[in-house]
Amino acid sequence: MFININEVLKLTTITMTKKIEVYVDGSQEERDSFFDFFWKNSREYVKALNLVYKQLMFEELIKDAIKEMDQGYAEREESIQNRIEKLAYTDPIDQKKLDKAKAELSKLRNEKNKEAREILTQAIGLKSQTRTRDVAKKLDFDFGDFVDSANMKASKDFGNDFIGIVTGQRTPRIYKNRNKYGLLPFRGRDIKIHKDDKFYIYLPKGFRFKVNLGSKPRKARDVASVLQHIMDGDYKLNQSNLIFDGRKLFFNLTISFEKSYNEMEFKKGNELIVNFADLCSGECLINDKSVMSFGDSQYIRNFKSKILAMKSKEQSRGVFSKGGHGRKRKLDQDRWEAIKKRESNFVKTYNNQCSAKIVKTAIRNKAQIIRIIEPDKAYGEWAYYQLKEQLVNKGKRYGIEVRS
């Protein structure tokens, strides 16, 4: 039996980011005024992110302490966890019972988290969002919306990081001010686009930027088309970042729009199972039959070894460098940041390729659900959350649901 996706999902909202080069339009005095504003507030923004993140970490420790004091909750949680572990290693796996046990554990934790939050709120007298916002307000911003932006970003990052921190897979995040690099977020409602002889972008405080469409005709047409769609109201402009990377000024415009995929058909009850066999590599199954393999764990390990050697070399420069004129060069953070960026880009690209391949396989096999089997920790550390997030985003475009 086949069902048309139009019965399930008529329109899908797609969110994407467009990187557009801009430069300050105005006199030298106006350019100096903008960069004074930019550097001061971008530094304050990083400080605000760290303060909010630390506040959330502190409050989470208090909530954990409240939960641990409830002996009944701790025993019930342990009992359900043991049941889940037993079901997960039973062959064949009873997926319905496993899903039910996971849902029960999730419900128990959510109820206890809510209770702990209420106890904390009663003790302090303010809601969590208000508390973190008050922390961000301590910084000396020249534009009030930066307070809310810092609060929202740090809260979202903490929510994404928390499971990894609890399981020991990652350490708490630290935001850093990087040399010759700055970022400021602006809400979509505060960004105005106007077209005269060229495209212009207006920001609060009277700053105006001229858009550089680029010298390549195809890219220029693409950028102009996006800006025109925003002006016409076809695309919704969301919170976007203004970035200076040491050489040029860019706007990362985040846009969303609706698109229909009425031509898609799915086979009812079809699920694509993503089963990891090693470090971010494995196979996809339909009805216990392998339909596609993905990833290359050895390729990842080789890259990790290469990055580790590069990091070790950089650390040695700092440890063994002596004083004098060469010390600043040896301890230059730009090289260290470049290595970290290279590692981050590798992970993101690898996950992007794997997620695209998995979604295409789901479409080809008319599977409306992608189910991810949690990888064994023994395989090693990897950005599995990012991979899942990419699968969710790509799946949304075609009405495919991702479950784990």
Side-chain angles (χ1 to χ4, degrees), residues 80-243:
I80 299 171
Q81 283 177 323
N82 291 338
R83 200 191 329 154
I84 289 171
E85 201 169 311
K86 188 176 178 182
L87 286 166
Y89 287 100
T90 303
D91 191 21
I93 294 173
D94 190 330
Q95 196 62 51
K96 285 186 178 179
K97 283 187 178 179
L98 184 60
D99 289 345
K100 188 178 178 181
K102 284 182 177 180
E104 187 181 347
L105 180 61
S106 178
K107 184 181 177 182
L108 175 68
R109 285 174 171 171
N110 287 338
E111 286 175 353
K112 195 61 189 177
N113 279 333
K114 185 179 178 182
E115 184 184 327
R117 278 198 303 271
E118 287 173 356
I119 292 170
L120 187 61
T121 300
Q122 286 173 4
I124 298 176
L126 294 169
K127 289 185 177 180
S128 177
Q129 193 173 359
T130 307
R131 292 195 296 270
T132 52
R133 192 178 186 279
D134 286 346
V135 168
K137 280 173 70 177
K138 293 177 182 178
L139 280 301
D140 184 23
F141 285 118
D142 293 327
F143 184 53
D145 279 2
F146 294 150
V147 171
D148 292 320
S149 297
N151 187 21
M152 286 189 289
K153 176 169 173 52
S155 299
K156 184 179 178 181
D157 288 346
F158 181 77
N160 293 340
D161 297 348
F162 181 64
I163 297 299
I165 294 169
V166 170
T167 56
Q169 293 180 346
R170 67 160 298 148
T171 56
R173 191 182 301 234
I174 298 174
Y175 304 91
K176 294 181 180 179
N177 277 313
R178 288 158 52 189
N179 187 31
K180 299 178 183 177
Y181 177 91
L183 179 150
L184 280 181
F186 290 91
R187 295 185 183 185
R189 69 188 185 197
D190 294 324
I191 303 169
K192 308 298 179 187
I193 299 172
H194 174 72
K195 185 181 180 184
D196 198 357
D197 55 327
K198 291 188 176 183
F199 283 99
Y200 294 89
I201 296 178
Y202 293 83
L203 290 179
K205 302 289 181 180
F207 298 122
R208 185 171 102 149
F209 305 86
K210 191 179 286 187
V211 175
N212 181 11
L213 296 177
S215 57
K216 295 180 181 178
R218 184 177 176 181
K219 184 180 177 182
R221 285 195 301 269
D222 184 35
V223 172
S225 173
V226 169
L227 293 173
Q228 192 62 52
H229 277 301
I230 294 171
M231 289 172 60
D232 295 341
D234 301 327
Y235 293 171
K236 180 186 175 184
L237 187 57
N238 304 315
Q239 180 167 297
S240 304
N241 294 329
L242 182 62
I243 298 170

